[in-house]
Amino acid sequence: MSQPIIKIDGITKSFGSFKVLDGLSLEVKPAEKLALIGPSGSGKTTILRILMTLESIDGGHIQIDGEHLYHMERNGQLLPADERHLARMRQKIGMVFQLFNLFPHKSVIENVTLAPMLTKGVKKADAEKRAMELLDMVGMADKAKSMPAQLSGGQKQRVAIARALALSPKIMLFDEVTSALDPELVEEVLNVMRKLAAETDMTMLLVTHEMGFAHDFADRVLFFDRGKIVEEGKPDDIFRHPKQERTQAFLRKII
Ligand code: ADP
């Protein structure tokens, strides 16, 4: 088996006295598409935010692409990662959020070119060329000069996907990217994600309440409850023949 691109080993995370993750371990293979499902508050978003280094961890280890995320190896010793190490590791990962988080005072194309220019020193003309390719891929090339406020939620989310792709990450994280959208706008965003999944070999982790989409998109579905993976397997196994009582109860409620 190829080396995992993500290796999570016994991580713990608390917010105050509330332990969100308690010794979570997970390995993800390169190009694998994972769907994380489960009740609200079970820790799914926290895992994505930890991988994006938007939250710290209290214990355990994470390796991305064979390198420690929160630690640095120096002379055979593991030291806490410094900001430079984190910034370098962060470039391997892109994230798309529920509420888009576009820069409101920047145009669509500026939203996409900003990170490559600032963090990788890409020249403006090159960044714009790549941005237009990405905007074309998500069907937003004709809105390159628009401001975010002029766009629908679905359009904003497609720009946010293009922006996350601009750094050519190996791993993409999608955090409930359709749950703030009007129902008629959900499909256009899911279509972009279907295309990405089919046409690229990026590793993708998706937190979602769209069970139909999770079924079609994922190679593997993880059912979370209270910070633990209760059950995992192929979409058909999880959605049609869940073994655990908690998975069955969750799916009965949601489907
Ligand atoms: P899920 O994505 O499965 O709905 P989350 O990972 O968002 O779950 O949240 C897990 C729990 O951690 C929830 O109870 C949530 O309220 C809590 N939590 C998440 N982020 C924070 C934070 N920054 N401060 C305090 N509590 C938080």
mmCIF file of all heavy atoms in Angstrom, residues 13-16 18-21 37-47 49 55 175-176 207 209 224, ligand 1:
data_model
loop_
_atom_site.group_PDB
_atom_site.id
_atom_site.type_symbol
_atom_site.label_atom_id
_atom_site.label_comp_id
_atom_site.label_asym_id
_atom_site.label_seq_id
_atom_site.Cartn_x
_atom_site.Cartn_y
_atom_site.Cartn_z
ATOM 1 N N LYS A 13 -8.173 16.929 21.481
ATOM 2 C CA LYS A 13 -8.464 18.361 21.394
ATOM 3 C C LYS A 13 -9.624 18.692 22.327
ATOM 4 O O LYS A 13 -10.671 18.047 22.279
ATOM 5 C CB LYS A 13 -8.853 18.719 19.952
ATOM 6 C CG LYS A 13 -9.323 20.136 19.773
ATOM 7 C CD LYS A 13 -8.194 21.119 19.900
ATOM 8 C CE LYS A 13 -8.636 22.559 19.802
ATOM 9 N NZ LYS A 13 -7.535 23.490 20.103
ATOM 10 N N SER A 14 -9.423 19.660 23.191
ATOM 11 C CA SER A 14 -10.507 20.117 24.067
ATOM 12 C C SER A 14 -10.760 21.588 23.836
ATOM 13 O O SER A 14 -9.844 22.348 23.518
ATOM 14 C CB SER A 14 -10.127 19.911 25.545
ATOM 15 O OG SER A 14 -9.934 18.543 25.813
ATOM 16 N N PHE A 15 -12.005 21.985 23.988
ATOM 17 C CA PHE A 15 -12.352 23.399 24.106
ATOM 18 C C PHE A 15 -12.785 23.596 25.548
ATOM 19 O O PHE A 15 -13.835 23.083 25.941
ATOM 20 C CB PHE A 15 -13.475 23.779 23.144
ATOM 21 C CG PHE A 15 -13.073 23.745 21.691
ATOM 22 C CD1 PHE A 15 -13.604 22.800 20.826
ATOM 23 C CD2 PHE A 15 -12.150 24.659 21.195
ATOM 24 C CE1 PHE A 15 -13.238 22.766 19.492
ATOM 25 C CE2 PHE A 15 -11.775 24.635 19.860
ATOM 26 C CZ PHE A 15 -12.312 23.690 19.007
ATOM 27 N N GLY A 16 -11.991 24.255 26.342
ATOM 28 C CA GLY A 16 -12.267 24.345 27.778
ATOM 29 C C GLY A 16 -12.246 22.947 28.371
ATOM 30 O O GLY A 16 -11.319 22.176 28.122
ATOM 31 N N PHE A 18 -14.399 20.675 27.575
ATOM 32 C CA PHE A 18 -15.093 19.763 26.669
ATOM 33 C C PHE A 18 -14.114 19.112 25.695
ATOM 34 O O PHE A 18 -13.475 19.788 24.891
ATOM 35 C CB PHE A 18 -16.168 20.541 25.900
ATOM 36 C CG PHE A 18 -16.926 19.701 24.913
ATOM 37 C CD1 PHE A 18 -17.675 18.610 25.339
ATOM 38 C CD2 PHE A 18 -16.877 19.985 23.558
ATOM 39 C CE1 PHE A 18 -18.375 17.829 24.428
ATOM 40 C CE2 PHE A 18 -17.561 19.208 22.640
ATOM 41 C CZ PHE A 18 -18.315 18.133 23.076
ATOM 42 N N LYS A 19 -14.001 17.801 25.815
ATOM 43 C CA LYS A 19 -13.069 17.073 24.951
ATOM 44 C C LYS A 19 -13.754 16.750 23.634
ATOM 45 O O LYS A 19 -14.651 15.904 23.585
ATOM 46 C CB LYS A 19 -12.645 15.789 25.670
ATOM 47 C CG LYS A 19 -11.298 15.302 25.250
ATOM 48 C CD LYS A 19 -10.788 14.190 26.152
ATOM 49 C CE LYS A 19 -9.339 14.407 26.488
ATOM 50 N NZ LYS A 19 -8.795 13.359 27.340
ATOM 51 N N VAL A 20 -13.356 17.436 22.580
ATOM 52 C CA VAL A 20 -13.999 17.225 21.274
ATOM 53 C C VAL A 20 -13.438 15.978 20.607
ATOM 54 O O VAL A 20 -14.176 15.175 20.031
ATOM 55 C CB VAL A 20 -13.759 18.429 20.336
ATOM 56 C CG1 VAL A 20 -14.516 18.251 19.039
ATOM 57 C CG2 VAL A 20 -14.157 19.709 21.007
ATOM 58 N N LEU A 21 -12.119 15.811 20.655
ATOM 59 C CA LEU A 21 -11.473 14.637 20.050
ATOM 60 C C LEU A 21 -10.645 13.954 21.126
ATOM 61 O O LEU A 21 -9.894 14.609 21.845
ATOM 62 C CB LEU A 21 -10.571 15.060 18.881
ATOM 63 C CG LEU A 21 -11.242 15.820 17.742
ATOM 64 C CD1 LEU A 21 -10.201 16.286 16.721
ATOM 65 C CD2 LEU A 21 -12.295 14.964 17.051
ATOM 66 N N ILE A 37 -19.375 12.076 8.036
ATOM 67 C CA ILE A 37 -20.775 12.345 8.379
ATOM 68 C C ILE A 37 -20.984 12.090 9.869
ATOM 69 O O ILE A 37 -20.142 11.467 10.526
ATOM 70 C CB ILE A 37 -21.750 11.466 7.549
ATOM 71 C CG1 ILE A 37 -21.563 9.971 7.866
ATOM 72 C CG2 ILE A 37 -21.563 11.706 6.046
ATOM 73 C CD1 ILE A 37 -22.705 9.084 7.343
ATOM 74 N N GLY A 38 -22.112 12.569 10.375
ATOM 75 C CA GLY A 38 -22.421 12.340 11.786
ATOM 76 C C GLY A 38 -23.135 13.530 12.378
ATOM 77 O O GLY A 38 -23.207 14.588 11.751
ATOM 78 N N PRO A 39 -23.659 13.377 13.590
ATOM 79 C CA PRO A 39 -24.437 14.455 14.196
ATOM 80 C C PRO A 39 -23.626 15.729 14.395
ATOM 81 O O PRO A 39 -22.395 15.677 14.476
ATOM 82 C CB PRO A 39 -24.870 13.885 15.555
ATOM 83 C CG PRO A 39 -24.277 12.539 15.682
ATOM 84 C CD PRO A 39 -23.556 12.186 14.435
ATOM 85 N N SER A 40 -24.326 16.874 14.487
ATOM 86 C CA SER A 40 -23.675 18.146 14.784
ATOM 87 C C SER A 40 -22.934 18.049 16.100
ATOM 88 O O SER A 40 -23.435 17.433 17.042
ATOM 89 C CB SER A 40 -24.719 19.248 14.910
ATOM 90 O OG SER A 40 -25.109 19.648 13.657
ATOM 91 N N GLY A 41 -21.766 18.651 16.135
ATOM 92 C CA GLY A 41 -21.012 18.671 17.383
ATOM 93 C C GLY A 41 -20.155 17.435 17.597
ATOM 94 O O GLY A 41 -19.517 17.283 18.636
ATOM 95 N N SER A 42 -20.076 16.538 16.590
ATOM 96 C CA SER A 42 -19.309 15.305 16.805
ATOM 97 C C SER A 42 -17.818 15.482 16.486
ATOM 98 O O SER A 42 -17.045 14.541 16.624
ATOM 99 C CB SER A 42 -19.912 14.152 15.992
ATOM 100 O OG SER A 42 -19.979 14.472 14.631
ATOM 101 N N GLY A 43 -17.424 16.676 16.029
ATOM 102 C CA GLY A 43 -15.994 16.952 15.865
ATOM 103 C C GLY A 43 -15.494 16.941 14.435
ATOM 104 O O GLY A 43 -14.297 17.101 14.191
ATOM 105 N N LYS A 44 -16.398 16.816 13.469
ATOM 106 C CA LYS A 44 -15.975 16.691 12.066
ATOM 107 C C LYS A 44 -15.263 17.954 11.574
ATOM 108 O O LYS A 44 -14.178 17.884 11.013
ATOM 109 C CB LYS A 44 -17.207 16.407 11.172
ATOM 110 C CG LYS A 44 -18.031 15.222 11.628
ATOM 111 C CD LYS A 44 -19.252 14.998 10.753
ATOM 112 C CE LYS A 44 -20.242 16.150 10.685
ATOM 113 N NZ LYS A 44 -20.980 16.418 11.937
ATOM 114 N N THR A 45 -15.901 19.103 11.802
ATOM 115 C CA THR A 45 -15.298 20.364 11.364
ATOM 116 C C THR A 45 -13.980 20.613 12.090
ATOM 117 O O THR A 45 -13.016 21.117 11.497
ATOM 118 C CB THR A 45 -16.282 21.529 11.614
ATOM 119 O OG1 THR A 45 -17.372 21.364 10.725
ATOM 120 C CG2 THR A 45 -15.633 22.882 11.360
ATOM 121 N N THR A 46 -13.938 20.263 13.347
ATOM 122 C CA THR A 46 -12.704 20.466 14.121
ATOM 123 C C THR A 46 -11.538 19.711 13.483
ATOM 124 O O THR A 46 -10.421 20.240 13.421
ATOM 125 C CB THR A 46 -12.910 20.026 15.586
ATOM 126 O OG1 THR A 46 -13.996 20.787 16.129
ATOM 127 C CG2 THR A 46 -11.667 20.240 16.418
ATOM 128 N N ILE A 47 -11.789 18.530 12.979
ATOM 129 C CA ILE A 47 -10.705 17.773 12.326
ATOM 130 C C ILE A 47 -10.185 18.525 11.100
ATOM 131 O O ILE A 47 -8.976 18.675 10.916
ATOM 132 C CB ILE A 47 -11.202 16.366 11.915
ATOM 133 C CG1 ILE A 47 -11.532 15.569 13.159
ATOM 134 C CG2 ILE A 47 -10.160 15.631 11.074
ATOM 135 C CD1 ILE A 47 -12.378 14.372 12.876
ATOM 136 N N ARG A 49 -10.379 21.722 10.540
ATOM 137 C CA ARG A 49 -9.708 22.954 10.979
ATOM 138 C C ARG A 49 -8.321 22.655 11.560
ATOM 139 O O ARG A 49 -7.390 23.438 11.400
ATOM 140 C CB ARG A 49 -10.579 23.704 11.995
ATOM 141 C CG ARG A 49 -11.840 24.288 11.316
ATOM 142 C CD ARG A 49 -12.756 24.992 12.315
ATOM 143 N NE ARG A 49 -12.083 26.076 13.004
ATOM 144 C CZ ARG A 49 -11.925 27.308 12.515
ATOM 145 N NH1 ARG A 49 -12.422 27.600 11.320
ATOM 146 N NH2 ARG A 49 -11.299 28.227 13.205
ATOM 147 N N GLU A 55 -6.868 25.348 14.085
ATOM 148 C CA GLU A 55 -6.953 24.994 15.507
ATOM 149 C C GLU A 55 -5.693 24.229 15.839
ATOM 150 O O GLU A 55 -5.151 23.533 14.992
ATOM 151 C CB GLU A 55 -8.156 24.085 15.797
ATOM 152 C CG GLU A 55 -9.505 24.643 15.447
ATOM 153 C CD GLU A 55 -10.023 25.650 16.462
ATOM 154 O OE1 GLU A 55 -9.348 25.872 17.487
ATOM 155 O OE2 GLU A 55 -11.092 26.214 16.207
ATOM 156 N N ASP A 175 -15.816 21.992 3.995
ATOM 157 C CA ASP A 175 -16.573 21.983 5.245
ATOM 158 C C ASP A 175 -18.007 22.451 5.031
ATOM 159 O O ASP A 175 -18.267 23.649 4.990
ATOM 160 C CB ASP A 175 -15.872 22.886 6.278
ATOM 161 C CG ASP A 175 -16.543 22.788 7.633
ATOM 162 O OD1 ASP A 175 -17.299 21.823 7.849
ATOM 163 O OD2 ASP A 175 -16.310 23.678 8.466
ATOM 164 N N GLU A 176 -18.902 21.517 4.880
ATOM 165 C CA GLU A 176 -20.335 21.841 4.679
ATOM 166 C C GLU A 176 -20.521 22.973 3.680
ATOM 167 O O GLU A 176 -21.189 23.960 3.965
ATOM 168 C CB GLU A 176 -20.974 22.205 6.023
ATOM 169 C CG GLU A 176 -20.955 21.041 6.992
ATOM 170 C CD GLU A 176 -21.780 21.312 8.241
ATOM 171 O OE1 GLU A 176 -22.719 22.109 8.178
ATOM 172 O OE2 GLU A 176 -21.474 20.715 9.277
ATOM 173 N N VAL A 207 -16.876 17.269 4.752
ATOM 174 C CA VAL A 207 -17.859 17.184 5.836
ATOM 175 C C VAL A 207 -19.187 17.609 5.229
ATOM 176 O O VAL A 207 -19.275 18.683 4.628
ATOM 177 C CB VAL A 207 -17.498 18.119 7.006
ATOM 178 C CG1 VAL A 207 -18.650 18.215 7.995
ATOM 179 C CG2 VAL A 207 -16.243 17.640 7.704
ATOM 180 N N HIS A 209 -23.801 17.186 5.071
ATOM 181 C CA HIS A 209 -25.101 16.628 5.450
ATOM 182 C C HIS A 209 -25.854 16.146 4.212
ATOM 183 O O HIS A 209 -26.998 15.716 4.311
ATOM 184 C CB HIS A 209 -25.929 17.675 6.192
ATOM 185 C CG HIS A 209 -25.353 18.031 7.528
ATOM 186 N ND1 HIS A 209 -25.324 17.143 8.578
ATOM 187 C CD2 HIS A 209 -24.744 19.150 7.972
ATOM 188 C CE1 HIS A 209 -24.733 17.714 9.613
ATOM 189 N NE2 HIS A 209 -24.359 18.932 9.270
ATOM 190 N N PHE A 224 -19.029 9.708 12.378
ATOM 191 C CA PHE A 224 -18.510 10.216 13.650
ATOM 192 C C PHE A 224 -19.620 10.364 14.665
ATOM 193 O O PHE A 224 -20.731 10.769 14.327
ATOM 194 C CB PHE A 224 -17.906 11.622 13.463
ATOM 195 C CG PHE A 224 -16.528 11.600 12.925
ATOM 196 C CD1 PHE A 224 -16.305 11.436 11.576
ATOM 197 C CD2 PHE A 224 -15.433 11.731 13.775
ATOM 198 C CE1 PHE A 224 -15.025 11.401 11.068
ATOM 199 C CE2 PHE A 224 -14.148 11.701 13.273
ATOM 200 C CZ PHE A 224 -13.944 11.535 11.913
HETATM 201 P P1 ADP B 1 -19.316 19.052 13.807
HETATM 202 O O1 ADP B 1 -18.537 19.579 12.656
HETATM 203 O O2 ADP B 1 -19.326 17.555 13.865
HETATM 204 O O3 ADP B 1 -20.698 19.634 13.886
HETATM 205 P P2 ADP B 1 -17.498 20.611 15.412
HETATM 206 O O4 ADP B 1 -16.174 20.055 15.131
HETATM 207 O O5 ADP B 1 -17.890 21.866 14.726
HETATM 208 O O6 ADP B 1 -18.591 19.477 15.156
HETATM 209 O O7 ADP B 1 -17.673 20.894 16.960
HETATM 210 C C1 ADP B 1 -17.455 19.933 17.960
HETATM 211 C C2 ADP B 1 -17.765 20.566 19.285
HETATM 212 O O8 ADP B 1 -16.751 21.500 19.624
HETATM 213 C C3 ADP B 1 -19.079 21.318 19.326
HETATM 214 O O9 ADP B 1 -19.690 21.040 20.577
HETATM 215 C C4 ADP B 1 -18.677 22.761 19.233
HETATM 216 O O10 ADP B 1 -19.588 23.586 19.909
HETATM 217 C C5 ADP B 1 -17.321 22.759 19.905
HETATM 218 N N1 ADP B 1 -16.429 23.802 19.354
HETATM 219 C C6 ADP B 1 -15.976 23.844 18.098
HETATM 220 N N2 ADP B 1 -15.153 24.902 17.905
HETATM 221 C C7 ADP B 1 -15.096 25.547 19.099
HETATM 222 C C8 ADP B 1 -14.398 26.703 19.574
HETATM 223 N N3 ADP B 1 -13.579 27.415 18.772
HETATM 224 N N4 ADP B 1 -14.575 27.056 20.871
HETATM 225 C C9 ADP B 1 -15.366 26.336 21.678
HETATM 226 N N5 ADP B 1 -16.030 25.231 21.301
HETATM 227 C C10 ADP B 1 -15.928 24.832 20.034
#
